[in-house]
Amino acid sequence: MTNTIDNLTAEIGLVVGQILKTDLALLKGYSQAKARAIASFTLILGRAHAAGTLSRAQLEDEAAELERMVVRFVRNLQALATTTVERLLGGISQLLMG
């Protein structure tokens, strides 16, 4: 029985590992791209503000857009995490039912 438990444990580990490898690569690429976009926009705003080329109202509008960018980014991260959990549940379930 131990051999069967060890084999099943190893198979579960492989399924988890494959799913996480794929999803974490996607998450890393997405996170880096969005973080770069948010950082770039932040620096542009900061430079424009420092140069005095933005009115107070424009700065407030752009700051609100920056906040929306961050909120969308975090919500997308949450969705990717949820998708990963669902893929893990499906993969392990499929393995166990097989």
Side-chain angles (χ1 to χ4, degrees):
M1 182 163 196
T2 302
N3 190 25
T4 304
I5 291 172
D6 290 344
N7 289 342
L8 186 55
T9 301
E11 290 179 36
I12 291 170
L14 287 173
V15 167
V16 169
Q18 290 170 343
I19 291 170
L20 290 179
K21 181 180 177 184
T22 300
D23 288 12
L24 289 177
L26 173 68
L27 180 62
K28 180 181 178 184
Y30 170 77
S31 294
Q32 287 175 338
K34 290 301 176 184
R36 181 172 292 281
I38 291 168
S40 295
F41 189 62
T42 302
L43 290 175
I44 289 169
L45 285 180
R47 289 179 183 139
H49 178 65
T53 58
L54 284 179
S55 70
R56 183 76 178 156
Q58 288 171 320
L59 180 60
E60 288 174 5
D61 288 345
E62 296 301 337
E65 177 56 31
L66 179 61
E67 184 173 341
R68 286 189 292 274
M69 288 174 71
V70 171
V71 167
R72 284 190 303 267
F73 175 55
V74 171
R75 285 184 182 155
N76 286 336
L77 291 176
Q78 288 174 322
L80 288 170
T82 299
T83 300
T84 297
V85 169
E86 290 170 355
R87 286 175 28 85
L88 288 167
L89 286 169
I92 294 169
S93 294
Q94 185 177 8
L95 172 69
L96 295 177
M97 293 303 176

XYZ file of all heavy atoms in Angstrom:
734
model
N 0.808 -1.190 0.000
C 0.000 0.000 0.000
C 0.856 1.261 0.000
O 0.499 2.245 -0.628
C -0.935 -0.018 1.199
C -1.854 1.155 1.252
S -3.198 0.790 2.361
C -4.330 2.025 1.902
N 1.976 1.242 0.677
C 2.852 2.403 0.716
C 3.313 2.788 -0.680
O 3.348 3.956 -1.022
C 4.084 2.123 1.617
O 3.620 1.787 2.922
C 4.984 3.332 1.689
N 3.645 1.792 -1.492
C 4.084 2.058 -2.855
C 2.993 2.784 -3.633
O 3.271 3.716 -4.375
C 4.477 0.752 -3.549
C 5.159 1.002 -4.875
O 5.739 2.051 -5.085
N 5.082 0.038 -5.758
N 1.745 2.375 -3.482
C 0.639 3.018 -4.167
C 0.462 4.454 -3.677
O 0.264 5.368 -4.480
C -0.666 2.227 -3.942
O -0.462 0.873 -4.373
C -1.811 2.822 -4.694
N 0.559 4.676 -2.384
C 0.451 6.026 -1.827
C 1.605 6.885 -2.319
O 1.412 8.038 -2.730
C 0.400 5.984 -0.285
C -0.910 5.363 0.181
C 0.584 7.385 0.309
C -0.983 5.094 1.665
N 2.802 6.334 -2.329
C 3.961 7.088 -2.803
C 3.817 7.435 -4.285
O 4.138 8.558 -4.690
C 5.248 6.289 -2.574
C 5.610 6.181 -1.098
O 5.054 6.964 -0.287
O 6.436 5.311 -0.760
N 3.334 6.481 -5.077
C 3.150 6.740 -6.505
C 2.103 7.818 -6.746
O 2.300 8.724 -7.571
C 2.761 5.463 -7.247
C 3.901 4.476 -7.366
O 5.065 4.835 -7.200
N 3.571 3.229 -7.628
N 0.974 7.702 -6.047
C -0.093 8.683 -6.211
C 0.361 10.063 -5.740
O 0.073 11.081 -6.377
C -1.348 8.242 -5.459
C -2.596 9.104 -5.660
C -2.936 9.238 -7.138
C -3.772 8.492 -4.897
N 1.096 10.087 -4.645
C 1.639 11.348 -4.145
C 2.555 11.981 -5.190
O 2.474 13.192 -5.445
C 2.406 11.120 -2.828
O 1.518 10.563 -1.858
C 3.003 12.410 -2.296
N 3.393 11.197 -5.796
C 4.302 11.703 -6.826
C 3.537 12.200 -8.045
O 3.869 13.250 -8.611
C 5.291 10.610 -7.233
N 2.497 11.474 -8.441
C 1.688 11.904 -9.588
C 0.963 13.217 -9.301
O 0.888 14.089 -10.172
C 0.685 10.812 -9.970
C 1.334 9.590 -10.593
C 0.319 8.502 -10.937
O -0.806 8.872 -11.350
O 0.647 7.320 -10.776
N 0.440 13.352 -8.099
C -0.213 14.607 -7.709
C 0.810 15.747 -7.767
O 0.530 16.834 -8.290
C -0.856 14.502 -6.315
C -2.059 13.564 -6.367
C -1.278 15.890 -5.806
C -2.625 13.205 -4.997
N 1.985 15.486 -7.261
C 3.051 16.492 -7.294
C 3.404 16.911 -8.714
O 3.637 18.089 -8.985
N 3.426 15.952 -9.631
C 3.716 16.274 -11.028
C 2.635 17.141 -11.649
O 2.931 18.113 -12.358
C 3.898 14.984 -11.846
C 5.179 14.204 -11.604
C 5.146 12.873 -12.361
C 6.387 15.020 -12.037
N 1.377 16.785 -11.390
C 0.261 17.575 -11.920
C 0.334 19.001 -11.378
O 0.238 19.972 -12.136
C -1.098 16.921 -11.570
C -2.254 17.872 -11.833
C -1.285 15.635 -12.348
N 0.518 19.128 -10.074
C 0.609 20.450 -9.450
C 1.790 21.225 -10.045
O 1.664 22.403 -10.404
C 0.727 20.336 -7.921
C 1.098 21.670 -7.285
C -0.573 19.802 -7.327
N 2.912 20.574 -10.158
C 4.105 21.220 -10.691
C 3.926 21.715 -12.116
O 4.341 22.827 -12.455
N 3.306 20.901 -12.968
C 3.089 21.300 -14.364
C 2.154 22.496 -14.460
O 2.406 23.433 -15.223
C 2.532 20.121 -15.167
C 3.545 19.013 -15.390
C 2.913 17.752 -15.962
O 1.706 17.565 -15.908
N 3.751 16.875 -16.503
N 1.077 22.452 -13.715
C 0.116 23.566 -13.748
C 0.766 24.843 -13.224
O 0.660 25.904 -13.840
C -1.160 23.207 -12.963
C -1.933 22.117 -13.708
C -2.034 24.445 -12.728
C -3.074 21.503 -12.926
N 1.449 24.754 -12.104
C 2.078 25.937 -11.524
C 3.181 26.493 -12.419
O 3.320 27.713 -12.540
C 2.612 25.639 -10.126
C 1.560 25.431 -9.044
C 2.223 25.113 -7.709
C 0.639 26.637 -8.917
N 3.935 25.617 -13.050
C 4.996 26.088 -13.936
C 4.418 26.942 -15.055
O 4.914 28.032 -15.346
C 5.759 24.891 -14.519
C 6.884 25.284 -15.435
C 7.604 24.066 -15.981
C 8.689 24.481 -16.952
N 9.346 23.328 -17.567
N 3.355 26.465 -15.665
C 2.707 27.198 -16.749
C 2.098 28.503 -16.246
O 2.326 29.574 -16.813
C 1.598 26.331 -17.384
O 2.187 25.137 -17.891
C 0.886 27.066 -18.492
N 1.324 28.412 -15.178
C 0.608 29.589 -14.686
C 1.550 30.633 -14.092
O 1.327 31.833 -14.254
C -0.457 29.176 -13.677
C -1.629 28.477 -14.344
O -1.524 28.102 -15.528
O -2.669 28.306 -13.670
N 2.592 30.203 -13.417
C 3.528 31.168 -12.845
C 4.325 31.882 -13.932
O 4.647 33.065 -13.783
C 4.460 30.484 -11.842
C 3.789 30.063 -10.537
C 4.779 29.328 -9.632
C 3.173 31.244 -9.809
N 4.618 31.196 -15.020
C 5.295 31.858 -16.140
C 4.392 32.937 -16.730
O 4.847 34.053 -17.030
C 5.686 30.838 -17.206
N 3.120 32.625 -16.886
C 2.151 33.602 -17.383
C 2.045 34.776 -16.417
O 2.073 35.948 -16.822
C 0.785 32.941 -17.568
C -0.372 33.864 -17.932
C -0.186 34.437 -19.328
C -1.688 33.112 -17.838
N 1.928 34.483 -15.152
C 1.806 35.516 -14.131
C 3.033 36.421 -14.104
O 2.915 37.643 -14.013
C 1.592 34.870 -12.761
C 1.446 35.808 -11.573
C 0.215 36.693 -11.734
C 1.362 35.011 -10.291
N 4.193 35.835 -14.223
C 5.431 36.613 -14.200
C 5.478 37.576 -15.381
O 5.765 38.764 -15.207
C 6.646 35.683 -14.228
C 7.958 36.424 -14.203
C 9.141 35.472 -14.253
C 10.445 36.240 -14.277
N 11.607 35.355 -14.418
N 5.190 37.077 -16.567
C 5.212 37.934 -17.748
C 4.186 39.045 -17.663
O 4.481 40.212 -17.958
N 2.979 38.705 -17.258
C 1.910 39.692 -17.123
C 2.288 40.733 -16.068
O 2.158 41.943 -16.301
C 0.591 39.012 -16.744
C -0.480 39.993 -16.369
C -1.154 40.705 -17.353
C -0.792 40.233 -15.036
C -2.129 41.637 -17.004
C -1.757 41.158 -14.692
C -2.416 41.860 -15.674
O -3.368 42.785 -15.333
N 2.750 40.277 -14.915
C 3.087 41.184 -13.818
C 4.192 42.146 -14.207
O 4.119 43.343 -13.910
C 3.518 40.394 -12.582
O 2.445 39.650 -12.082
N 5.201 41.635 -14.869
C 6.303 42.507 -15.279
C 5.842 43.559 -16.280
O 6.204 44.733 -16.171
C 7.447 41.681 -15.864
C 8.210 40.901 -14.819
C 9.273 39.992 -15.408
O 9.218 39.622 -16.569
N 10.235 39.627 -14.589
N 5.025 43.157 -17.237
C 4.542 44.102 -18.247
C 3.667 45.178 -17.610
O 3.818 46.375 -17.901
C 3.772 43.355 -19.338
N 2.753 44.776 -16.749
C 1.857 45.747 -16.120
C 2.597 46.627 -15.119
O 2.316 47.819 -15.016
C 0.677 45.049 -15.450
C -0.291 44.459 -16.433
C -0.836 45.544 -17.343
C -1.729 44.979 -18.412
N -2.188 45.998 -19.353
N 3.517 46.052 -14.376
C 4.296 46.847 -13.429
C 5.114 47.899 -14.176
O 5.220 49.049 -13.727
C 5.211 45.945 -12.596
N 5.659 47.534 -15.320
C 6.423 48.484 -16.132
C 5.514 49.610 -16.628
O 5.893 50.780 -16.599
C 7.088 47.779 -17.309
C 7.928 48.705 -18.176
C 8.728 47.945 -19.214
N 9.778 47.133 -18.627
C 10.951 47.598 -18.203
N 11.226 48.865 -18.302
N 11.848 46.783 -17.701
N 4.306 49.258 -17.067
C 3.364 50.274 -17.549
C 2.970 51.233 -16.421
O 2.930 52.454 -16.618
C 2.135 49.603 -18.139
N 2.692 50.682 -15.255
C 2.309 51.515 -14.110
C 3.476 52.403 -13.690
O 3.295 53.601 -13.436
C 1.811 50.635 -12.942
C 0.465 50.007 -13.314
C 1.713 51.436 -11.647
C 0.010 48.906 -12.373
N 4.664 51.845 -13.628
C 5.849 52.627 -13.252
C 6.123 53.732 -14.270
O 6.414 54.879 -13.890
C 7.061 51.705 -13.124
N 6.011 53.408 -15.546
C 6.251 54.419 -16.591
C 5.254 55.561 -16.484
O 5.630 56.739 -16.563
C 6.153 53.785 -17.976
O 7.173 52.847 -18.167
N 3.978 55.224 -16.317
C 2.946 56.251 -16.207
C 3.183 57.114 -14.973
O 3.037 58.346 -15.012
C 1.560 55.598 -16.173
C 0.421 56.571 -16.280
C 0.268 57.357 -17.405
C -0.494 56.686 -15.252
C -0.789 58.264 -17.500
C -1.554 57.579 -15.338
C -1.695 58.368 -16.472
N 3.580 56.490 -13.879
C 3.860 57.221 -12.644
C 5.001 58.211 -12.854
O 4.922 59.370 -12.432
C 4.206 56.241 -11.508
O 3.109 55.341 -11.322
C 4.491 56.969 -10.208
N 6.062 57.753 -13.512
C 7.208 58.648 -13.759
C 6.842 59.786 -14.697
O 7.277 60.932 -14.495
C 8.383 57.846 -14.316
C 9.053 56.891 -13.325
C 10.130 56.069 -14.018
C 9.626 57.657 -12.143
N 6.046 59.501 -15.709
C 5.606 60.555 -16.627
C 4.814 61.610 -15.858
O 5.028 62.819 -16.036
C 4.765 59.957 -17.782
C 5.674 59.163 -18.717
C 4.020 61.046 -18.541
C 4.916 58.309 -19.733
N 3.893 61.139 -15.010
C 3.113 62.085 -14.204
C 4.004 62.911 -13.280
O 3.836 64.129 -13.162
C 2.074 61.347 -13.365
C 0.853 60.809 -14.071
C -0.073 60.113 -13.078
C 0.118 61.913 -14.788
N 4.925 62.245 -12.637
C 5.823 62.947 -11.720
C 6.669 63.989 -12.427
O 6.818 65.123 -11.934
N 7.181 63.639 -13.588
C 8.002 64.590 -14.353
C 7.162 65.765 -14.851
O 7.611 66.921 -14.807
C 8.676 63.874 -15.505
C 9.779 62.942 -15.049
C 10.425 62.212 -16.208
N 11.424 61.283 -15.693
C 11.611 60.063 -16.155
N 10.889 59.599 -17.169
N 12.534 59.281 -15.632
N 5.969 65.468 -15.325
C 5.086 66.540 -15.805
C 4.701 67.470 -14.666
O 4.678 68.697 -14.829
C 3.851 65.952 -16.472
N 4.426 66.890 -13.519
C 4.078 67.709 -12.352
C 5.273 68.564 -11.922
O 5.117 69.762 -11.652
C 3.614 66.813 -11.201
C 3.280 67.559 -9.954
N 2.228 68.450 -9.878
C 3.859 67.561 -8.727
C 2.185 68.956 -8.661
N 3.162 68.433 -7.949
N 6.440 67.970 -11.881
C 7.644 68.710 -11.488
C 7.964 69.838 -12.474
O 8.449 70.896 -12.075
C 8.828 67.750 -11.381
N 7.667 69.595 -13.744
C 7.939 70.618 -14.764
C 6.846 71.687 -14.808
O 6.991 72.700 -15.505
C 8.068 69.952 -16.131
N 5.756 71.438 -14.086
C 4.669 72.407 -14.061
C 3.793 72.391 -15.300
O 3.093 73.359 -15.579
N 3.819 71.295 -16.045
C 3.032 71.224 -17.281
C 1.643 70.637 -17.073
O 0.883 70.537 -18.033
C 3.777 70.408 -18.352
O 4.049 69.101 -17.844
C 5.092 71.081 -18.740
N 1.325 70.251 -15.856
C -0.007 69.732 -15.544
C -0.696 70.675 -14.570
O -0.107 71.079 -13.570
C 0.079 68.356 -14.867
C 0.383 67.140 -15.697
C 0.445 65.902 -14.807
C -0.637 66.942 -16.792
N -1.937 70.983 -14.871
C -2.718 71.758 -13.899
C -3.093 70.834 -12.744
O -2.975 69.612 -12.833
C -3.983 72.306 -14.564
O -4.885 71.241 -14.843
N -3.574 71.409 -11.689
C -4.002 70.612 -10.532
C -5.116 69.649 -10.937
O -5.110 68.484 -10.562
C -4.476 71.559 -9.418
C -4.867 70.854 -8.165
C -3.625 70.430 -7.422
N -4.012 69.794 -6.180
C -3.240 68.944 -5.549
N -2.054 68.645 -6.042
N -3.614 68.399 -4.441
N -6.062 70.134 -11.732
C -7.175 69.290 -12.184
C -6.668 68.155 -13.073
O -7.127 67.012 -12.949
C -8.204 70.134 -12.940
N -5.735 68.444 -13.960
C -5.173 67.395 -14.823
C -4.435 66.354 -13.990
O -4.550 65.158 -14.237
C -4.217 68.005 -15.852
C -4.893 68.796 -16.937
C -3.882 69.544 -17.797
O -2.894 70.087 -17.300
N -4.158 69.575 -19.104
N -3.684 66.828 -13.019
C -2.950 65.899 -12.151
C -3.921 64.999 -11.395
O -3.683 63.788 -11.291
C -2.059 66.668 -11.175
C -1.233 65.810 -10.216
C -0.284 64.889 -10.988
C -0.468 66.686 -9.244
N -5.004 65.565 -10.895
C -5.998 64.754 -10.183
C -6.637 63.728 -11.112
O -6.843 62.577 -10.720
C -7.058 65.656 -9.547
C -6.535 66.429 -8.352
C -7.533 67.432 -7.804
O -8.689 67.477 -8.277
O -7.144 68.177 -6.877
N -6.946 64.143 -12.346
C -7.511 63.205 -13.324
C -6.536 62.077 -13.631
O -6.920 60.905 -13.685
C -7.874 63.926 -14.629
C -9.093 64.811 -14.489
O -9.835 64.673 -13.489
O -9.302 65.662 -15.390
N -5.293 62.424 -13.827
C -4.281 61.410 -14.158
C -3.993 60.509 -12.960
O -3.765 59.307 -13.115
C -3.000 62.076 -14.669
C -3.175 62.847 -15.966
C -3.685 62.007 -17.125
O -3.528 60.767 -17.129
O -4.265 62.599 -18.058
N -4.017 61.074 -11.764
C -3.826 60.257 -10.557
C -4.974 59.264 -10.404
O -4.754 58.116 -9.993
C -3.709 61.153 -9.328
N -6.179 59.691 -10.753
C -7.327 58.770 -10.704
C -7.147 57.650 -11.726
O -7.475 56.490 -11.446
C -8.625 59.534 -10.966
N -6.632 57.988 -12.889
C -6.369 56.946 -13.902
C -5.290 55.983 -13.411
O -5.390 54.773 -13.604
C -5.950 57.570 -15.230
C -5.602 56.560 -16.303
C -6.713 55.549 -16.594
O -7.908 55.881 -16.465
O -6.379 54.394 -16.956
N -4.270 56.506 -12.766
C -3.223 55.644 -12.204
C -3.817 54.690 -11.182
O -3.502 53.496 -11.182
C -2.125 56.503 -11.566
C -0.971 55.753 -10.914
C -0.231 54.895 -11.932
C -0.018 56.741 -10.262
N -4.705 55.198 -10.353
C -5.353 54.330 -9.362
C -6.176 53.246 -10.054
O -6.171 52.089 -9.646
C -6.236 55.150 -8.428
C -6.838 54.300 -7.323
C -7.596 55.118 -6.284
O -7.386 56.333 -6.194
O -8.393 54.508 -5.570
N -6.889 53.600 -11.133
C -7.664 52.600 -11.884
C -6.745 51.550 -12.489
O -7.083 50.362 -12.511
C -8.507 53.275 -12.971
C -9.728 54.013 -12.431
C -10.658 54.475 -13.541
N -10.085 55.517 -14.376
C -10.142 56.821 -14.110
N -10.758 57.260 -13.023
N -9.602 57.699 -14.934
N -5.585 51.971 -12.967
C -4.617 51.010 -13.517
C -4.194 49.997 -12.454
O -4.123 48.800 -12.716
C -3.369 51.731 -14.048
C -3.572 52.515 -15.317
S -2.099 53.482 -15.772
C -0.976 52.185 -16.292
N -3.908 50.496 -11.261
C -3.472 49.620 -10.168
C -4.600 48.677 -9.759
O -4.372 47.477 -9.556
C -2.966 50.453 -8.966
C -2.721 49.581 -7.752
C -1.702 51.216 -9.355
N -5.818 49.199 -9.666
C -6.961 48.359 -9.290
C -7.168 47.257 -10.331
O -7.375 46.088 -9.978
C -8.236 49.213 -9.111
C -9.475 48.348 -9.026
C -8.104 50.096 -7.870
N -7.109 47.603 -11.627
C -7.268 46.584 -12.678
C -6.163 45.533 -12.591
O -6.408 44.338 -12.749
C -7.257 47.235 -14.065
C -8.538 47.940 -14.426
C -8.571 48.349 -15.890
N -7.455 49.200 -16.291
C -7.480 50.528 -16.293
N -8.554 51.188 -15.909
N -6.416 51.206 -16.688
N -4.950 45.992 -12.330
C -3.811 45.085 -12.205
C -4.048 44.084 -11.075
O -3.920 42.867 -11.267
C -2.541 45.898 -11.962
C -1.303 45.092 -11.686
C -0.879 44.106 -12.561
C -0.547 45.336 -10.560
C 0.279 43.377 -12.316
C 0.606 44.612 -10.301
C 1.013 43.635 -11.177
N -4.439 44.578 -9.912
C -4.657 43.691 -8.759
C -5.836 42.757 -9.017
O -5.777 41.561 -8.702
C -4.850 44.507 -7.468
C -5.289 43.625 -6.314
C -3.551 45.241 -7.121
N -6.903 43.263 -9.613
C -8.041 42.395 -9.927
C -7.656 41.305 -10.915
O -8.104 40.161 -10.796
C -9.202 43.220 -10.481
C -9.920 43.995 -9.414
C -11.111 44.719 -9.967
N -11.755 45.487 -8.918
C -12.484 46.554 -9.126
N -12.700 46.990 -10.351
N -13.025 47.198 -8.119
N -6.840 41.641 -11.889
C -6.379 40.622 -12.837
C -5.493 39.590 -12.152
O -5.560 38.399 -12.474
C -5.667 41.262 -14.022
C -6.629 41.924 -14.975
O -7.801 41.574 -15.039
N -6.147 42.897 -15.719
N -4.668 40.025 -11.207
C -3.862 39.070 -10.436
C -4.759 38.130 -9.645
O -4.511 36.919 -9.579
C -2.906 39.799 -9.492
C -1.763 40.569 -10.127
C -0.963 41.305 -9.053
C -0.869 39.664 -10.947
N -5.820 38.681 -9.053
C -6.769 37.846 -8.319
C -7.424 36.831 -9.256
O -7.583 35.661 -8.900
C -7.851 38.709 -7.668
C -7.367 39.520 -6.499
C -8.432 40.473 -5.975
O -9.189 41.059 -6.744
N -8.463 40.652 -4.667
N -7.799 37.280 -10.442
C -8.436 36.378 -11.406
C -7.468 35.287 -11.850
O -7.857 34.114 -11.971
C -8.938 37.163 -12.617
N -6.214 35.650 -12.075
C -5.221 34.638 -12.460
C -5.006 33.637 -11.332
O -4.866 32.434 -11.580
C -3.901 35.306 -12.847
C -3.912 36.052 -14.170
C -2.625 36.880 -14.324
C -4.061 35.091 -15.344
N -4.993 34.102 -10.096
C -4.833 33.192 -8.956
C -6.026 32.247 -8.856
O -5.857 31.037 -8.635
C -4.670 33.988 -7.665
N -7.221 32.779 -9.052
C -8.425 31.950 -9.012
C -8.392 30.905 -10.117
O -8.723 29.734 -9.896
C -9.691 32.827 -9.143
O -9.718 33.726 -8.029
C -10.951 31.995 -9.156
N -7.981 31.314 -11.289
C -7.877 30.382 -12.421
C -6.867 29.278 -12.117
O -7.109 28.110 -12.424
C -7.476 31.136 -13.699
O -8.480 32.112 -13.978
C -7.331 30.205 -14.879
N -5.768 29.644 -11.496
C -4.757 28.642 -11.138
C -5.331 27.636 -10.147
O -5.145 26.421 -10.304
C -3.499 29.313 -10.559
O -2.924 30.146 -11.567
C -2.472 28.291 -10.099
N -6.049 28.120 -9.148
C -6.659 27.221 -8.163
C -7.661 26.289 -8.852
O -7.679 25.073 -8.589
C -7.334 28.023 -7.024
C -8.195 27.130 -6.148
C -6.278 28.735 -6.192
N -8.459 26.834 -9.754
C -9.432 26.010 -10.481
C -8.725 24.964 -11.344
O -9.162 23.813 -11.421
C -10.336 26.891 -11.341
C -11.295 27.726 -10.524
C -12.023 28.780 -11.336
O -11.729 28.964 -12.542
O -12.903 29.443 -10.754
N -7.635 25.364 -11.982
C -6.874 24.397 -12.796
C -6.255 23.306 -11.918
O -6.210 22.142 -12.311
C -5.796 25.111 -13.612
C -6.364 25.900 -14.784
C -5.360 26.728 -15.563
N -3.982 26.299 -15.598
C -3.462 25.410 -16.459
N -4.242 24.822 -17.350
N -2.180 25.120 -16.425
N -5.790 23.690 -10.725
C -5.242 22.691 -9.798
C -6.321 21.715 -9.347
O -6.094 20.499 -9.339
C -4.603 23.377 -8.587
C -3.283 24.092 -8.844
C -2.925 24.977 -7.658
C -2.179 23.102 -9.144
N -7.483 22.250 -8.988
C -8.586 21.374 -8.577
C -8.973 20.423 -9.709
O -9.163 19.222 -9.485
C -9.800 22.202 -8.158
C -9.700 22.907 -6.818
C -10.848 23.900 -6.651
C -9.690 21.903 -5.682
N -9.078 20.952 -10.905
C -9.446 20.115 -12.062
C -8.384 19.071 -12.372
O -8.702 17.912 -12.628
N -7.128 19.484 -12.339
C -6.049 18.544 -12.652
C -5.929 17.424 -11.641
O -5.774 16.252 -12.011
N -6.013 17.776 -10.372
C -5.928 16.744 -9.335
C -7.150 15.861 -9.360
O -7.034 14.626 -9.252
C -5.721 17.392 -7.944
C -4.346 18.078 -7.880
C -5.837 16.349 -6.838
C -4.154 18.951 -6.657
N -8.319 16.440 -9.548
C -9.552 15.641 -9.627
C -9.492 14.667 -10.787
O -9.868 13.486 -10.652
C -10.765 16.548 -9.770
O -10.950 17.306 -8.615
N -9.048 15.161 -11.937
C -8.946 14.298 -13.117
C -7.975 13.147 -12.859
O -8.255 11.999 -13.227
C -8.495 15.122 -14.315
C -8.480 14.362 -15.610
C -8.084 15.251 -16.789
O -7.683 16.404 -16.620
N -8.198 14.717 -17.987
N -6.866 13.440 -12.232
C -5.897 12.394 -11.901
C -6.522 11.361 -10.969
O -6.409 10.150 -11.201
C -4.661 13.002 -11.251
C -3.649 12.018 -10.670
C -2.961 11.246 -11.794
C -2.650 12.724 -9.786
N -7.179 11.817 -9.937
C -7.739 10.899 -8.938
C -8.883 10.072 -9.512
O -9.044 8.907 -9.160
C -8.226 11.685 -7.713
C -7.130 12.408 -6.923
C -7.738 13.218 -5.783
C -6.080 11.429 -6.396
N -9.664 10.654 -10.392
C -10.782 9.914 -10.996
C -10.294 8.940 -12.066
O -10.981 7.981 -12.366
C -11.803 10.880 -11.596
C -12.513 11.710 -10.578
S -13.313 10.617 -9.383
C -13.962 11.773 -8.242
N -9.111 9.236 -12.604
C -8.544 8.338 -13.626
C -8.001 7.128 -12.990
O -8.142 5.985 -13.245
